[in-house]
Structures are given as structure tokens and as C-alpha cells.
Amino acid sequence: MTERLYYTDPFLNEFDARLLSVTRIAGRTAVTLDRSAFYPTSGGQVFDTGWLSSPANGERLRVREVTEDERSGDVLHIIDVEPSCLQPGSVVRGAIDMERRRDHMQQHSGQHVISAAFEKLYDFATASFHMGDEGCTIDLATSSVTPQQIQTAERLANEIIAEDRPVEIRFATADEARTMGVRKIPAAEREKLRLIDIRDFDLNACGGTHVRSTGQIGAILLRKTEKVKQGVRVEFVCGQRAVSTARHDFETLTEAAALFSTHIWEVPQQISKWQDEAKAAQKAQHRLLEEVAEFEARHLLQSAEQRGAHKLVVQYFAERDLGFIKMLAQKITKAGQAVALLACGGAQPSLVFAQTPGLSNDMGALMKQVVQSLGTRGGGNRDMAQGGAPDVERARQALAAAAQAIR
Ligand SMILES: [Zn+2]
């Protein structure tokens, strides 16, 4: 079982170790050492990256990923290539990518602070923690969290950060931990628990890497909340991520504000004003189209062919859409005894067949026949049917064919 150097010193960034084995696991090369400062993914925290090098010949290998062999407890350092220099028994030097580690420490320590804040303020226990590439989340065991509770917890967490309280690593048995008032004691039977102690604020069992004092977390920014199966998921970012997230938000808002020529704080009002205007414009457009359709219907009926007791209107519209020809079909068939066979071009060539209720054709059946021959979809009832056409030319041909079928 690999000796875990980060357990007692999370700021150790270089170490020497003896190489135990090099194995192939699922097509990748895994190196095990007798001791390691590399953190493997566990407890919600993601793995470190860094380098392994050989002091003997200077060869340097990138550590892409670090995992834990659950059975043996070994830390597996995943590297790109089969190393020629690293022989079992040889000494290697490990170096951690500390920028990445610092970010993980800020997120993980920040999680302890925010989880403790929710627990102290509202008795919301943290059911799970997830660290992502961008944001982190905790799932709180509660059915709802109000925006006010989010703000209050965020404020308390940032006060704890500003107070720069020491964060210490302690070891205790499960029984000792219980009497110490540890927030959450893991079920796994272990001889000694590793505890993270944020002075006079939080004491929690955890194997992760943490800052030395809360000031190093920098800041905590709570973001989205979302209902999930086990409670409410709260998204948050800490430290440098909080700053870069706020910067991203600001730039997005600034871009939006420039589109409206307004201040960023006025963006919601401006959007709502534009929505109202867009709705009003849509209504006005609809009214105008109704009027156009009314005129068009009258005009078409005047020049339409008389077929027995009804008129037959057959018309193709290059510039209109399905919505318009449906509206027009309704107007034509309402104005008198008529059958309307209409088609439109544009991005989605379509067909509409309609008749005044009571006439003897079956528009649904006719449309079914037409779309079957076109290889498209469509249908309807006796008096009104619609369907698609693969292109403009075939829409026009289908119209002509349908006109032949009308009694
Ligand atoms: Zn933890």
C-alpha cells in the first residue's frame, strides 16, 4: 500500500520514491511507488497531475491521471509511454502540478466551509460533493433552499474565509471522533480517521488535500441550485475559479448590455421590454396576414373554376409558409362551397387540402395518397389535411395531380 505523503503534508510538491512496478492497465501504463504525494481521485476530489523523472538519466514523464487501486490501496500513476528509464527498484522523483493542486485545495476546503455553514444555519446535511472542471456541487439533504438561505450561507462562508482560521489535520479513532463532534463519520471501518479541523467552525473526516488556513480559499461564490433525487444541488466555485467565473459572467453581461445600449444592471428590464414589443409586433403581423388572406381568398374564389356545385381553387405560393396557406384554406372554404388545394415553397415546401364541410371529397385520404407517392409525411380529416413535399417542383406536381382527383 502506497504511503500517502499528502496525508500529512498537502503542500509537499516534490518527493523521491522507490519504483515498485510498471504495469499495463486497460491499455495504459501505471506506475506504483512506495510513497507518493500525488492525490488519486477519491472523496469527491479529482486527481493531481505532474511529472515523474529519473534522477539517474533526467528522463521526465507526464503523469496524466492518478487513480487508486481499491483492493491494494496502491496509488496508480498513469503515464503516456512505457518508460525505459524506470526500472523496479530505481529511485524516481515526483513533482506535482501545484497550480492544479492549489485549485483543488481551494475547492475542497471551500466545500467543507460551505457545507458547515448550511449545517450550522439550517441543519442541511451534505449528502455528496462533486468537483468538476468548471464548477463544484454539493447535494444538500433538504427539499428546498431559498435564495435568501443561499445568500446567508454564502455570507457566513466568506466571513469564515476572511477570519483566516487555521485548518489542521488530526487523527482519531471513530469513538474519539464521535466525542469530538465530527460532522460526518464514514461507515468504513478504519483504525484511525483523518480529520480536517477548521478551528471552532468545522471538524470532518476527510482524506483530501486542504489549505493551511481559510484565507487561502480566497472566496466562495454560490451559483445555481437545482432539485435532485437526494435533495437540492448547490453549485459553487472557490478561489481563483470564483474570480474567473465572475469575470466570465461580467463579460457576458457587458456584451448583452451593449446589444441593448444599456447598463448591465438594466439588462433584465430591457429584455422584458423587448419581449413585450416582439409580442405586440407578432400580433400586429398576424392581424395583417389575416387581412391579406381574406383578400386573397376573395380574389381566388372569383377566378376559380366551377366544378358542379363548388369552386376549385388550386394555387402555389412561392413566398408563403404553411401557417399562411392553412389560414387561407380556412378562409376559402368558409366563404362559400369550395375545395382549396394549396402549396407553398420556401424552406419547408408544404401542401394543404381543404373543403367546405359537407362536400363529398376526403381530403385526409387524398393527402395520404399524395405524401405516400412523395415519400413524405402528412394527414388530416375529411375536410382539412396537410403534408410535406421534398422540394418545390414536386409540391407543384402534387398539386396538379390532386386537382385531377377532385370530384
Ligand atoms: Zn473533504
Side-chain angles (χ1 to χ4, degrees):
M1 183 169 166
T2 316
E3 184 193 344
R4 304 194 181 201
L5 303 172
Y6 63 83
Y7 242 59
T8 46
D9 186 1
F11 283 84
L12 179 69
N13 62 343
E14 272 200 358
F15 64 98
D16 285 344
R18 199 160 290 282
L19 191 141
L20 298 182
S21 68
V22 179
T23 46
R24 297 285 291 172
I25 297 173
R28 304 191 301 174
T29 304
V31 175
T32 54
L33 308 170
D34 64 343
R35 57 209 294 267
S36 179
F38 281 91
Y39 187 85
T41 298
S42 52
Q45 184 178 331
V46 288
F47 60 86
D48 285 328
T49 59
W51 300 267
L52 290 180
S53 59
S54 160
N57 70 0
E59 195 174 350
R60 203 161 180 253
L61 304 163
R62 183 86 174 116
V63 177
R64 294 272 168 217
E65 193 183 334
V66 183
T67 62
E68 193 174 35
D69 183 330
E70 276 176 24
R71 277 168 307 153
S72 64
D74 280 336
V75 174
L76 306 174
H77 308 77
I78 310 296
I79 56 174
D80 286 339
V81 288
E82 193 87 39
S84 57
C85 62
L86 303 179
Q87 297 304 321
S90 66
V91 170
V92 292
R93 176 154 298 164
I96 310 292
D97 177 344
M98 280 311 274
E99 200 177 312
R100 181 175 161 96
R101 164 69 73 77
R102 193 179 308 115
D103 168 59
H104 292 173
M105 291 199 290
Q106 287 182 323
Q107 311 313 313
H108 198 158
S109 298
Q111 180 260 312
H112 282 218
V113 172
I114 195 66
S115 285
F118 275 118
E119 185 138 339
K120 278 189 187 345
L121 289 166
Y122 308 111
D123 214 15
F124 295 162
T126 295
S128 67
F129 161 49
H130 171 77
M131 187 189 288
D133 285 340
E134 282 174 13
C136 305
T137 59
I138 47 171
D139 289 350
L140 296 174
T142 175
S143 54
S144 70
V145 180
T146 67
Q148 186 56 49
Q149 287 172 326
I150 289 287
Q151 267 189 43
T152 308
E154 184 184 66
R155 178 156 190 102
L156 173 59
N158 282 294
E159 278 166 8
I160 297 300
I161 290 171
E163 286 163 13
D164 199 21
R165 298 185 184 218
V167 177
E168 285 154 322
I169 301 165
R170 300 187 186 288
F171 292 91
T173 63
D175 284 340
E176 285 166 349
R178 258 182 281 278
T179 59
M180 289 159 87
V182 169
R183 178 152 57 85
K184 195 172 153 190
I185 295 173
E189 285 288 323
R190 279 208 206 105
E191 213 178 297
K192 281 270 182 187
L193 287 175
R194 180 175 180 266
L195 304 175
I196 300 301
D197 184 358
I198 301 174
R199 189 173 292 171
D200 298 331
F201 188 67
D202 186 48
L203 186 62
N204 196 24
C206 175
T209 55
H210 289 272
V211 297
R212 286 197 186 99
S213 66
T214 56
Q216 292 182 330
I217 298 168
I220 295 182
L221 180 64
L222 297 190
R223 292 170 63 74
K224 199 173 73 181
T225 62
E226 168 191 17
K227 287 265 312 164
V228 291
K229 219 164 89 191
Q230 55 182 342
V232 175
R233 181 159 296 167
V234 180
E235 196 184 289
F236 68 94
V237 276
C238 301
Q240 199 60 46
R241 285 196 199 191
V243 177
S244 52
T245 305
R247 164 127 318 268
H248 190 182
D249 290 353
F250 177 74
E251 280 165 4
T252 306
L253 262 179
T254 302
E255 222 176 286
L259 291 174
F260 291 110
S261 307
T262 189
H263 187 273
I264 57 168
W265 292 346
E266 303 292 327
V267 167
Q269 289 94 309
Q270 287 293 333
I271 289 176
S272 134
K273 200 177 121 197
W274 273 66
Q275 275 177 333
D276 290 346
E277 283 173 12
K279 269 183 218 153
Q282 265 168 8
K283 264 191 193 159
Q285 194 198 17
H286 188 81
R287 266 200 309 273
L288 281 173
L289 276 177
E290 290 256 13
E291 280 176 33
V292 172
E294 198 80 55
F295 275 114
E296 192 84 65
R298 243 180 279 160
H299 169 76
L300 286 170
L301 278 169
Q302 263 169 19
S303 53
E305 175 193 344
Q306 188 75 40
R307 285 239 182 142
H310 65 80
K311 291 201 163 190
L312 174 62
V313 175
V314 183
Q315 190 69 35
Y316 166 77
F317 297 89
E319 304 291 317
R320 299 289 185 189
D321 63 2
L322 177 63
F324 180 81
I325 60 171
K326 269 164 78 176
M327 193 194 284
L328 180 58
Q330 277 163 357
K331 298 210 182 287
I332 291 170
T333 53
K334 251 189 202 160
Q337 299 284 301
V339 172
L341 304 178
L342 309 177
C344 64
Q348 248 187 318
S350 306
L351 300 157
V352 170
F353 301 162
Q355 70 178 1
T356 308
L359 292 182
S360 61
N361 300 284
D362 186 339
M363 295 305 170
L366 182 58
M367 184 60 78
K368 271 262 162 339
Q369 234 175 347
V370 167
V371 292
Q372 212 159 32
S373 72
L374 293 174
T376 55
R377 291 156 72 97
N381 56 32
R382 274 189 68 83
D383 297 328
M384 181 82 165
Q386 69 181 67
D391 54 62
V392 168
E393 202 36 56
R394 300 196 58 193
R396 303 186 69 151
Q397 285 166 3
L399 261 194
Q404 298 297 318
I406 295 298
R407 282 194 296 268

